[in-house]
Amino acid sequence: MAKKTRKQTGGTPATVALTAAGTPFTVHEYAHDPAAPSYGEEAAEALGVSPDRVFKTLVADVDGALTVAVVPVAGQLDLKALAAAVGGKRAAMADPAAAERTTGYVRGGISPLGQRKRLPTVLDASASRHETICVSAGRRGLEVELAPADLARLTGAVLAPVGRL
């Protein structure tokens, strides 16, 4: 007998995961401009939210293992700090095709939630200064706003200072 699979309806894998977990969240949609130089800064501007509350999801290779870093769009990822946060020695940005294949999302729309394969995740410690933060909801032009503690719990993230301005 063939095994039936249910299609996810009513959202992206990220929003489906949030709903299934019973986590409160708000979805924000905006018209994505393919010519925008920075997906995260575009999101902050379109939503009227301070860039220190909008976080980008980056995939890095730490000692041969893909690792997710969630950092403010206004800053950059400190690769050395990321490696240290997960007990590694060296980190480099992951190959974009490997990041897309592993997470199931396209670049510029990678969400820390609902990934095809759960990866070790580090959330920048600055997130804890905010009641809510915004992260990609799984596609360009779609953000989800939630409490940083909920994001950390659902992704198994450790909080560490991995972003720098």
Side-chain angles (χ1 to χ4, degrees):
M1 178 180 240
K3 184 177 181 182
K4 290 185 179 181
T5 58
R6 269 182 33 179
K7 281 191 171 182
Q8 293 176 341
T9 57
T12 65
T15 59
V16 169
L18 285 163
T19 301
T23 302
F25 67 97
T26 304
V27 172
H28 300 283
E29 190 164 11
Y30 60 94
H32 166 62
D33 176 3
S38 166
Y39 299 117
E41 289 177 11
E42 175 193 33
E45 187 174 317
L47 301 177
V49 176
S50 173
D52 66 335
R53 279 192 50 228
V54 179
F55 283 63
K56 56 189 169 187
T57 305
L58 302 172
V59 181
D61 179 316
V62 179
D63 298 337
L66 292 181
T67 304
V68 171
V70 185
V71 298
V73 300
Q76 294 182 322
L77 172 61
D78 182 334
L79 290 165
K80 193 176 241 184
L82 176 64
V86 295
K89 293 181 190 232
R90 300 190 60 176
M93 293 307 298
D95 173 65
E100 289 180 346
R101 188 173 48 253
T102 304
T103 64
Y105 293 117
V106 297
R107 200 168 71 89
I110 294 178
S111 177
L113 300 155
Q115 296 180 358
R116 184 175 290 149
K117 179 182 179 192
R118 188 169 176 168
L119 299 172
T121 302
V122 180
L123 176 58
D124 185 65
S126 68
S128 62
R129 293 196 299 254
H130 306 286
E131 189 174 316
T132 61
I133 60 170
C134 295
V135 297
S136 175
R139 69 176 164 81
R140 297 172 188 151
L142 195 66
E143 294 282 309
V144 65
E145 182 178 351
L146 74 166
D150 288 336
L151 178 62
R153 179 178 48 79
L154 293 172
T155 60
V158 297
L159 262 67
V162 295
R164 64 174 181 227
L165 294 175

